[in-house]
Amino acid sequence: MDWSIQDIARLAGTTSRTLRHYGDVGLLPASRVGDNGYRYYDELALVRLQRILMLRDLGLGIPAIADVLAGQTDGAEALAVHLRWLHQEKDRLDRQIASVEMTMLTLEGGEQLMAENMFDGFDHTAYREEVEERWGAAAYADGDRWWRSKSAAEKAEWQQRQKQLAADWSAAAAAGLAPDGAEAQALATRHADWLAGIPGTPQVNGRPAKQYLVGLGEMYVADYRFGANYGGAEGASFVRDALAVYAERNL
Amino acid sequence: MDWSIQDIARLAGTTSRTLRHYGDVGLLPASRVGDNGYRYYDELALVRLQRILMLRDLGLGIPAIADVLAGQTDGAEALAVHLRWLHQEKDRLDRQIASVEMTMLTLEGGEQLMAENMFDGFDHTAYREEVEERWGAAAYADGDRWWRSKSAAEKAEWQQRQKQLAADWSAAAAAGLAPDGAEAQALATRHADWLAGIPGTPQVNGRPAKQYLVGLGEMYVADYRFGANYGGAEGASFVRDALAVYAERNL
DNA sequence: CTAGAGGTTGACGCAGCGTCAATGTCAAGC
DNA sequence: GCTTGACATTGACGCTGCGTCAACCTCTAG
């Protein structure tokens, strides 16, 4: 007993186009092809088709389905792999949803989309022009998008980390430590690590690019807004010098 | 001040290919095109590009981004619409994840993928051949996929509903009620509604197809497995007659 | 002058079919 | 025997957003 393409399509709850597609890609060839070119399918084909459609409904792609039906892949294993895929996708969606919601809240607050206060209290974006000029606005734009994707708690934690770092720098500068001393270099290391955690920061195998770090130090000194957070121009100079030494030694 | 295509790509953290694409679709034309055909971009283009990339990161499609930037759509509104999209997608993923997990559990249990006991205690799938022969395997396959996508709680609720219905049918038959009486017809109505809730059931504007319902009644009588749930052959006959009357009057 | 970096315009590829388009075939009624 | 209508066939484009060659100019520095 065999059916025409329309018959089997209705039997399985799909369309003839889908069947022809499966025939084209070799997933489900017709059981028989008449002299007129018509496709005919038998019970085995129907069973196979039903299995195909079930796996498809679970979200598996055609190659994966083919592997399972060919016995090359264990069904349970294929599903396990697919399940990880699904969870990744879900995580991605969750992050995007959070990001969109954050942005909507920001818009309600009347703020600009491109937040100028992205790193409150440790404002790199104030140096936007310089940064963009030398390292590309990617350092700014990527950072902005990344920042927006974080939750309030994460933001608070980040800002806390920044403030602590700034305070430690300030204290070290006030104590008159040497920029090339162990303590100052430890701070420079923390600073570099912190920067490396910001997407968009020019990096070389996990660490900030040397010239970027040095240039950043120069900007800290050149701009009074930095000094305000570190006890004045001396603090900025201290940071610049320490970073320069760090960069020379480690990058 | 204007930049080459590579310059602005790096500045914004994207690729030149993307910029050419945006140019092709009219989303971001080059600010200027040299005699040599080279594209050049200015600050305005950079700002626009950054907004584009931000919206893109939020998951908006190119047409939606174009609408927002053209001022035809309010940004907040576009985001709200998009957010609903995201939630729908997430729901879909959640269902698919649940479905895959259920299937994996079924596989671990060593059961067949095409569950034979889909409607335990009220087994329609026992009539698979007849159903497929007359109504297409869609009634079976769709039902199977649908069933698999439900949570354990939902399944329990469904089965409870089935058992209650079966018990009520059984009681009515034992009480010697008339198949065309009000009580029997009320049960038939519940039965029809219950069937209509199963995807794959042949339906005509929200109700089971007449011939399908009648044929189902015949199958109930023809197969001893049905009688077992309804107090024997008399129960099945009662149900068949009641359904036939219901179908004649209402479908 | 030459090499090399960077620019241009096509055009295919991807996932899985939906959707015409142009055309051949089969079963049924006159 | 012919017409008609339902159903079949093989292309081939469309969708989404670019990645990735390919073939071929152009600019800049040594």
Side-chain angles (χ1 to χ4, degrees):
Chain A
M1 173 150 300
D2 50 12
W3 302 278
S4 75
I5 194 168
Q6 284 282 28
D7 289 340
I8 199 177
R10 273 194 295 263
L11 276 170
T14 182
T15 70
S16 62
R17 178 66 181 89
T18 297
L19 286 167
R20 300 203 294 103
H21 183 59
Y22 290 164
D24 289 345
V25 299
L27 184 58
L28 180 65
S31 310
R32 184 171 69 79
V33 178
D35 297 338
N36 47 22
Y38 281 26
R39 295 170 175 80
Y40 296 98
Y41 300 82
D42 58 19
E43 300 89 345
L44 265 69
L46 177 57
V47 171
R48 184 177 172 89
L49 176 55
Q50 288 178 328
R51 297 192 63 191
I52 289 172
L53 293 178
M54 207 199 73
L55 293 172
R56 185 193 65 174
D57 284 351
L58 293 177
L60 290 184
I62 285 186
I65 294 176
D67 286 348
V68 172
L69 292 187
Q72 297 179 356
T73 305
D74 181 39
E77 188 188 350
L79 288 181
V81 171
H82 181 52
L83 194 55
R84 282 199 290 279
W85 232 113
L86 289 172
H87 276 121
Q88 284 181 25
E89 279 298 293
K90 188 191 170 185
D91 289 346
R92 203 176 55 78
L93 269 183
D94 282 339
R95 283 197 301 274
Q96 205 162 64
I97 286 174
S99 190
V100 170
E101 286 175 343
M102 283 296 307
T103 305
M104 290 178 71
L105 285 177
T106 303
L107 282 176
E108 283 179 12
E111 300 178 39
Q112 290 298 311
L113 272 185
M114 288 297 176
E116 293 294 329
N117 54 350
M118 192 167 79
F119 293 105
D120 305 340
F122 202 96
D123 191 356
H124 279 97
T125 67
Y127 308 95
R128 176 175 167 178
E129 285 186 17
E130 294 93 333
V131 172
E132 288 183 358
E133 190 66 32
R134 195 172 302 188
W135 295 103
Y140 175 76
D142 281 0
D144 186 75
R145 290 179 239 151
W146 160 81
W147 179 247
R148 196 175 305 290
S149 73
K150 300 180 82 67
S151 71
E154 290 173 318
K155 286 185 181 179
E157 187 194 333
W158 256 86
Q159 295 193 348
Q160 172 55 31
R161 227 178 125 189
Q162 295 162 211
K163 284 182 182 172
Q164 188 59 51
L165 182 56
D168 292 348
W169 270 124
S170 195
L177 296 178
D180 58 351
E183 295 189 50
Q185 287 305 298
L187 283 175
T189 301
R190 278 173 59 195
H191 201 110
D193 289 345
W194 172 68
L195 285 171
I198 304 174
T201 300
Q203 300 188 22
V204 177
N205 50 18
R207 294 164 164 256
K210 180 176 178 181
Q211 290 308 313
Y212 173 74
L213 193 60
V214 173
L216 208 59
E218 299 291 350
M219 287 195 285
Y220 289 166
V221 173
D223 197 301
Y224 71 94
R225 287 168 296 189
F226 178 76
N229 292 313
Y230 293 76
E234 303 90 56
S237 298
F238 176 70
V239 173
R240 176 197 57 185
D241 294 343
L243 288 180
V245 170
Y246 174 85
E248 199 58 45
R249 289 183 185 167
N250 304 285
L251 302 180
Chain B
M1 173 149 301
D2 49 12
W3 302 279
S4 75
I5 194 169
Q6 285 280 30
D7 289 340
I8 199 179
R10 274 194 293 263
L11 277 170
T14 184
T15 71
S16 62
R17 178 66 181 88
T18 297
L19 285 166
R20 301 203 294 104
H21 182 59
Y22 290 164
D24 289 345
V25 299
L27 184 58
L28 180 66
S31 311
R32 183 170 68 80
V33 178
D35 297 336
N36 47 20
Y38 281 27
R39 295 171 174 79
Y40 295 98
Y41 300 82
D42 59 19
E43 300 89 344
L44 266 70
L46 176 57
V47 170
R48 185 178 172 90
L49 176 57
Q50 288 179 328
R51 297 191 64 191
I52 290 172
L53 293 178
M54 207 199 72
L55 293 173
R56 185 193 65 173
D57 284 350
L58 293 177
L60 291 184
I62 285 186
I65 294 176
D67 287 348
V68 172
L69 291 187
Q72 296 179 355
T73 305
D74 181 38
E77 187 188 350
L79 288 181
V81 170
H82 181 53
L83 194 55
R84 282 199 291 279
W85 230 113
L86 289 173
H87 276 121
Q88 284 181 26
E89 280 298 293
K90 188 190 169 186
D91 289 346
R92 203 175 55 77
L93 269 183
D94 282 339
R95 282 198 301 274
Q96 207 163 66
I97 286 173
S99 190
V100 170
E101 287 174 342
M102 282 297 309
T103 304
M104 291 178 69
L105 284 178
T106 303
L107 283 175
E108 284 180 11
E111 300 178 38
Q112 290 298 311
L113 272 185
M114 289 295 178
E116 294 295 330
N117 56 348
M118 191 167 78
F119 294 103
D120 305 341
F122 202 99
D123 190 355
H124 279 96
T125 67
Y127 308 95
R128 175 175 168 181
E129 285 185 16
E130 293 92 335
V131 172
E132 288 182 358
E133 191 65 31
R134 194 173 303 186
W135 296 103
Y140 175 76
D142 281 2
D144 187 75
R145 290 179 239 151
W146 161 80
W147 179 249
R148 196 175 304 291
S149 73
K150 300 180 81 68
S151 71
E154 289 172 319
K155 287 185 179 177
E157 187 193 332
W158 256 85
Q159 295 194 345
Q160 171 56 30
R161 230 179 120 188
Q162 296 163 210
K163 284 182 182 171
Q164 188 60 51
L165 181 57
D168 291 349
W169 270 124
S170 193
L177 296 179
D180 58 351
E183 294 189 51
Q185 288 304 298
L187 282 175
T189 302
R190 278 172 58 194
H191 200 110
D193 290 345
W194 172 68
L195 284 172
I198 303 174
T201 299
Q203 300 188 21
V204 177
N205 49 21
R207 294 164 162 255
K210 180 177 178 181
Q211 290 309 314
Y212 174 74
L213 192 60
V214 172
L216 208 59
E218 298 292 349
M219 288 195 285
Y220 288 167
V221 174
D223 198 300
Y224 70 95
R225 289 169 293 190
F226 178 76
N229 292 313
Y230 293 77
E234 303 90 56
S237 298
F238 175 71
V239 173
R240 176 196 59 184
D241 294 342
L243 288 180
V245 170
Y246 173 86
E248 198 59 45
R249 289 184 184 165
N250 304 286
L251 303 179

